[in-house]
């Protein structure tokens, strides 16, 4: 008994001293990170929104923002704090907003090689794009993959895409629209145009669509899984502890299932091509990648093939589909300038004169192109982007960026900036794209810039002009509820929440249209 008492007396002071040390260490850590997230560097030189708490930084503040209002949150901070401000998040670290044209140009062009995608973005889209995809590769690997992908974007190919892909798939879309017009039923334009765009990019990449337009009442499994993973990826960007959150909520199993659907479908296409060969006159991207060699002279692995093909599937259909959906909303909503849709339809009639679009007619569809660009300005398919700094740097406005910190910007925010676009920044105004001097690429960031400028920009414009011509030649279109304000759904991209219901009426051949 005496021995036991002695041991307690000897052990207890040690335990008390250890607790005191732990408490002192905790107090020190809390003091060090009293205004920023643990792991981030304190930056008294940067403006921050109110609401930061010790260790967690701005995590609690962001957690109060509904996913459907996250871009409004950044827009509000931009207006209140200016174009350069920052937040900190646990694990992620510091994110510096750099929303001026000069800072943007520096990051994506002048200092391009000093800013990489980083683990935050890679982990977010890792739900469906592997590390070998064009969007995530860096350095020499990026240059090689971009050169390969660029081979499907040239004038001769565009001629082929318009006639044999865009017009063919566009007429299938019009069949569904015509049925809705005849039956007097409303249809979800966002769903239909997404199906058109996905089948179109399938035709360009693989020589066949995904079957999305076969039955518009039942979404193709590939389309369902792709949309689901885009939403999950968007949420990951703002949930630092998603690796814990997803297993607890069962999301990890959904990611695994949807990944299997996407990868399995593309793997089947790869296997089929290897077995049957390629007989078309022009090689598609699948064929180009299958014939490519790596630095050791070996064929690209299936993982590399799938990563890059998935990258192009996402990039090749989301831009056009979502921009066209927002464009239709801006054209037809209750507050729309009716002269815009009238001018657009007149251009379609004057240029096409009842014929199918071809490469030559697209050069004359200037107003359709302007309408498309204006929709991209206000509602960019990728509303926020970020890069991680590799070496300490100074931006053109004097802002310091230290290695490991992230810089981020939002096309959604910059597209609504009065300091960038003038007092009419919030107006849907296609005429701003019709002058002899177009807005600079440092103001209009929807197609990105620098070495990573969108390789399929012209592809997206031609696709949009084609479908605009085909639809407005054939139908008068109106929104089912013009007074309803469109909002965006939570996603890595910017789809309209709940879709966009429209009603249609067949136009008389060559007759004038009254768009309600």
């Amino acid at each position: 008994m005496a021995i036991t008492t002695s041991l307690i007396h000897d052990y207890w002071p040690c335990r008390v001293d250890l607790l005191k040390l732990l408490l002192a260490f905790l107090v020190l850590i809390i003091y060090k990170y009293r205004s920023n997230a643990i792991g981030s560097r304190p930056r008294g030189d940067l403006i921050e929104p109110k609401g930061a708490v010790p260790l967690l930084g701005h995590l609690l503040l962001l957690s109060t923002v509904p996913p459907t209002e996250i871009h409004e949150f950044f827009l509000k901070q931009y207006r209140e704090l200016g174009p350069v401000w920052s937040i900190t998040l646990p694990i992620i670290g510091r994110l510096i907003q750099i929303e001026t044209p000069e800072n943007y140009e520096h990051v994506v062009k002048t200092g391009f090689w000093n800013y990489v995608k980083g683990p935050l973005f890679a982990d977010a889209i890792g739900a469906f794009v592997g590390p070998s995809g064009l969007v995530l590769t860096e350095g020499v690997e990026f240059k090689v993959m971009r050169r390969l992908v660029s081979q499907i974007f040239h004038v001769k190919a565009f001629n082929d895409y318009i006639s044999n892909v865009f017009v063919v798939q566009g007429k299938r879309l019009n069949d569904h629209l015509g049925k809705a017009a005849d039956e007097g039923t409303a249809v979800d334009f966002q769903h239909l145009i997404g199906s058109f765009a996905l089948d179109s990019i399938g035709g360009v990449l693989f020589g066949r669509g995904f079957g999305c337009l076969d039955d518009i009442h039942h979404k193709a499994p590939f389309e369902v899984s792709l949309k689901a993973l885009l939403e999950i990826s968007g949420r990951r960007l703002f949930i630092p502890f998603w690796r814990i959150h997803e297993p607890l909520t069962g999301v990890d199993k959904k990611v695994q299932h949807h990944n299997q659907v996407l990868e399995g479908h593309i793997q089947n296409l790869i296997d089929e091509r290897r077995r049957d060969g390629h007989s078309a006159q022009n090689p598609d991207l699948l064929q180009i990648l299958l014939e490519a060699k790596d630095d050791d002279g070996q064929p690209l692995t299936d993982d590399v093939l799938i990563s890059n093909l998935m990258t192009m599937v996402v990039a090749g259909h989301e831009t056009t589909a979502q921009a066209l959906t927002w464009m239709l909303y801006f054209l037809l909503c209750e507050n729309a300038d009716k002269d815009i849709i009238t001018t657009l339809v007149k251009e379609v009639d004057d240029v096409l004169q009842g014929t199918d679009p071809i490469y030559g007619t697209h050069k004359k569809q200037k107003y359709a192109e302007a309408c498309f660009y204006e929709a991209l300005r206000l509602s960019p398919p990728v509303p926020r982007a970020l890069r991680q700094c590799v070496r300490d740097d100074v931006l053109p406005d004097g802002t310091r960026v230290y290695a490991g910190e992230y810089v981020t910007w939002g096309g959604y925010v910059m597209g609504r900036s009065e300091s960038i676009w003038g007092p009419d920044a919030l107006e849907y105004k296609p005429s701003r794209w019709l002058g002899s001097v177009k807005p600079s690429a440092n103001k209009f960031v929807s197609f990105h810039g620098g070495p990573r400028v969108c390789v399929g920009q012209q592809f997206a414009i031609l696709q949009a002009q084609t479908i605009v011509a085909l639809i407005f030649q054939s139908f008068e279109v109106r929104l089912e509820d013009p007074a309803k304000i469109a909002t965006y759904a939570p996603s890595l991209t910017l789809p309209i929440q709940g879709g966009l219901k429209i009603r249609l009426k067949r136009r008389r051949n060559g007759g004038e249209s009254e768009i309600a």
Side-chain angles (χ1 to χ4, degrees):
M1 186 68 175
I3 295 175
T4 303
T5 303
S6 174
L7 287 173
I8 292 174
H9 280 294
D10 291 341
Y11 172 72
W12 182 251
C14 295
R15 186 176 181 183
V16 170
D17 290 343
L18 181 60
L19 289 173
K20 286 180 179 179
L21 284 173
L22 290 174
L23 182 60
F25 179 73
L26 181 60
V27 170
L28 179 63
I29 292 295
I30 292 175
Y31 179 78
K32 180 179 179 180
Y33 297 105
R34 61 190 179 278
S35 60
N36 54 292
I38 187 168
S40 63
R41 177 197 296 257
R43 295 288 303 272
D45 57 319
L46 292 175
I47 301 172
E48 296 183 0
K50 295 178 180 179
V53 298
L55 305 181
L56 298 179
H58 296 88
L59 178 61
L60 296 182
L61 174 64
L62 276 184
S63 68
T64 65
V65 181
T68 54
E69 297 176 15
I70 189 66
H71 302 301
E72 264 65 40
F73 167 81
F74 282 101
L75 182 59
K76 179 176 181 289
Q77 303 306 320
Y78 173 89
R79 289 169 174 166
E80 294 179 355
L81 304 178
V84 178
W85 53 279
S86 79
I87 59 175
T88 62
L89 296 171
I91 302 176
I92 294 172
R94 184 172 295 279
L95 295 94
I96 305 172
Q97 322 304 310
I98 58 158
E99 288 154 340
T100 72
E102 297 76 19
N103 287 344
Y104 168 78
E105 180 183 30
H106 177 83
V107 169
V108 304
K109 186 177 180 181
T110 312
F112 171 75
W113 299 109
N114 192 41
Y115 291 89
V116 298
K117 292 297 181 75
L120 174 58
F121 183 75
D123 288 345
I125 71 167
F128 59 93
V129 175
S132 302
L134 179 64
V135 72
L136 292 180
T137 52
E138 305 284 354
V140 175
E141 189 179 0
F142 163 73
K143 288 183 177 180
V144 171
M145 292 312 306
R146 185 177 176 90
R147 176 178 55 78
L148 289 172
V149 169
S150 298
Q151 293 182 44
I152 64 170
F153 299 116
H154 53 84
V155 172
K156 184 179 179 181
F158 289 150
N159 262 304
D160 181 61
Y161 299 157
I162 292 169
S163 299
N164 298 323
V165 180
F166 300 161
V167 170
V168 171
Q169 297 295 346
K171 288 183 175 180
R172 294 182 68 206
L173 171 64
N174 269 8
D175 287 342
H176 293 296
L177 296 178
K179 183 178 180 182
D182 295 340
E183 295 176 352
T185 57
V187 291
D188 180 4
F189 181 77
Q190 179 166 260
H191 169 52
L192 282 174
I193 199 66
S195 298
F196 156 79
L198 200 50
D199 277 349
S200 293
I201 195 63
V204 170
L205 300 182
F206 308 106
R208 67 169 70 171
F210 294 98
C212 301
L213 285 173
D214 293 347
D215 182 359
I216 63 170
H217 301 294
H218 298 89
K219 293 184 178 180
F222 191 94
E223 183 179 11
V224 172
S225 291
L226 181 58
K227 301 297 182 186
L229 290 178
L230 283 169
E231 181 176 339
I232 292 169
S233 296
R235 293 183 186 275
R236 282 183 176 182
L237 287 174
F238 300 102
I239 302 178
F241 303 107
W242 63 264
R243 292 185 188 277
I244 300 173
H245 173 266
E246 289 188 3
L248 291 176
T249 57
V251 173
D252 61 329
K253 290 184 174 59
K254 293 180 180 178
V255 170
Q256 184 179 15
H257 165 72
H258 292 307
N259 247 322
Q260 289 173 347
V261 172
L262 299 183
E263 292 183 5
H265 188 96
I266 293 180
Q267 185 66 62
N268 288 338
L269 292 173
I270 293 172
D271 295 341
E272 183 179 314
R273 180 63 60 84
R274 284 184 175 137
R275 183 183 68 246
D276 299 339
H278 181 66
S279 58
Q281 182 177 2
N282 297 317
D284 51 27
L285 184 60
L286 173 57
Q287 193 62 29
I288 290 171
L289 295 181
L290 282 172
E291 295 174 0
K293 306 293 183 184
D294 62 17
D295 292 339
D296 298 323
Q298 297 299 312
L300 302 180
T301 66
D302 284 2
D303 286 343
V304 172
L305 293 174
I306 291 173
S307 291
N308 282 282
L309 291 166
M310 272 306 308
T311 297
M312 296 308 298
V313 167
V314 175
H317 95 280
E318 287 291 309
T319 298
T320 307
Q322 292 185 11
L324 283 170
T325 303
W326 283 104
M327 174 178 157
L328 201 65
Y329 169 74
F330 290 131
L331 288 170
L332 302 174
C333 66
E334 188 174 56
N335 298 323
D337 180 348
K338 302 305 179 186
D339 289 340
I340 297 176
I341 185 65
T342 300
T343 303
L344 176 62
V345 173
K346 185 178 186 305
E347 179 187 77
V348 168
D349 290 342
D350 291 346
V351 172
L352 277 300
Q353 297 184 7
T355 62
D356 289 341
I358 58 174
Y359 186 71
T361 58
H362 287 75
K363 298 177 181 178
K364 301 176 184 178
Q365 287 183 265
K366 298 298 184 184
Y367 200 72
E369 181 180 2
C371 290
F372 185 62
Y373 271 121
E374 186 69 347
L376 284 166
R377 178 183 72 86
L378 287 170
S379 300
V382 181
R384 181 149 293 274
L386 77 164
R387 296 287 184 274
Q388 188 176 39
C389 183
V390 176
R391 295 191 178 121
D392 294 356
D393 194 18
V394 179
L395 300 180
D397 66 353
T399 301
R400 288 190 174 278
V401 184
Y402 295 103
E405 293 181 330
Y406 284 92
V407 295
T408 175
W409 63 92
Y412 187 92
V413 171
M414 293 178 71
R416 286 165 165 71
S417 168
E418 293 186 358
S419 63
I420 295 176
W421 293 96
D424 60 354
L426 295 180
E427 293 181 32
Y428 180 75
K429 193 175 179 181
S431 59
R432 73 177 83 242
W433 298 93
L434 296 175
S436 57
V437 180
K438 298 288 192 300
S440 76
N442 301 325
K443 292 171 56 176
F444 177 66
V445 303
S446 294
F447 285 116
H448 207 62
R452 284 193 182 273
V453 66
C454 177
V455 69
Q457 178 174 346
Q458 189 62 24
F459 174 93
I461 294 168
L462 292 173
Q463 189 179 34
Q465 290 173 314
T466 299
I467 203 63
V468 164
L470 290 173
I471 290 176
F472 286 111
Q473 273 192 124
S474 303
F475 304 103
E476 299 176 8
V477 188
R478 65 180 177 85
L479 299 185
E480 184 175 44
D481 184 1
K484 182 181 178 181
I485 298 175
T487 58
Y488 52 82
S491 178
L492 189 66
T493 54
L494 202 72
I496 291 181
Q497 179 81 20
L500 188 70
K501 291 293 185 66
I502 62 170
R503 291 185 178 274
L504 306 104
K505 180 180 178 182
R506 290 187 185 273
R507 294 184 64 191
R508 297 196 261 319
N509 293 334
E512 294 186 357
S513 219
E514 292 184 4
I515 307 297

